[in-house]
Amino acid sequence: MGLKNTMGSVRSGITDAAITGPLRLPVVIRYGAALALVGVATLARFLIGPQEAGLPYVAYFPAATLAAIVGGIGPAVTATLCGALVAG
């Protein structure tokens, strides 16, 4: 009985987290944050080493992840596409 109740509460907590989704911010702030994160990632990429050093997309993974956390799927896709354009 105890394990079943525990698993039910864990499942409920996961569902609650999935329903709440990204932070509730205005659209301009969410997409602006995504573009700012790509800008910071680009700056970090240039400061770390030359472009020819390899792995041009590594700096953009954290930017896309943070954009998804802050803004949701739209800003995350925007950050991913902008990062791919800048890195390419």
Side-chain angles (χ1 to χ4, degrees), residues 34 38 57 60-61 63-65 67 73-87:
V38 170
Y57 302 106
Y60 299 105
F61 291 134
T65 303
I73 190 70
V77 170
T78 301
T80 300
L81 293 176
C82 289
L85 288 174
V86 172

Side-chain angles (χ1 to χ4, degrees), residues 2-86:
L3 181 61
K4 187 175 182 179
N5 290 338
T6 302
M7 291 306 292
S9 65
V10 168
R11 191 176 305 121
S12 174
I14 292 171
T15 304
D16 291 344
I19 290 172
T20 58
L23 299 174
R24 303 289 183 220
L25 298 171
V27 173
V28 173
I29 292 175
R30 290 187 287 149
Y31 282 89
L35 295 176
L37 288 166
V38 170
V40 169
T42 303
L43 179 65
R45 182 173 162 241
F46 287 134
L47 290 176
I48 289 173
Q51 290 181 339
E52 297 80 24
L55 301 171
Y57 302 106
V58 169
Y60 299 105
F61 291 134
T65 303
L66 289 173
I69 291 170
V70 170
I73 190 70
V77 170
T78 301
T80 300
L81 293 176
C82 289
L85 288 174
V86 172

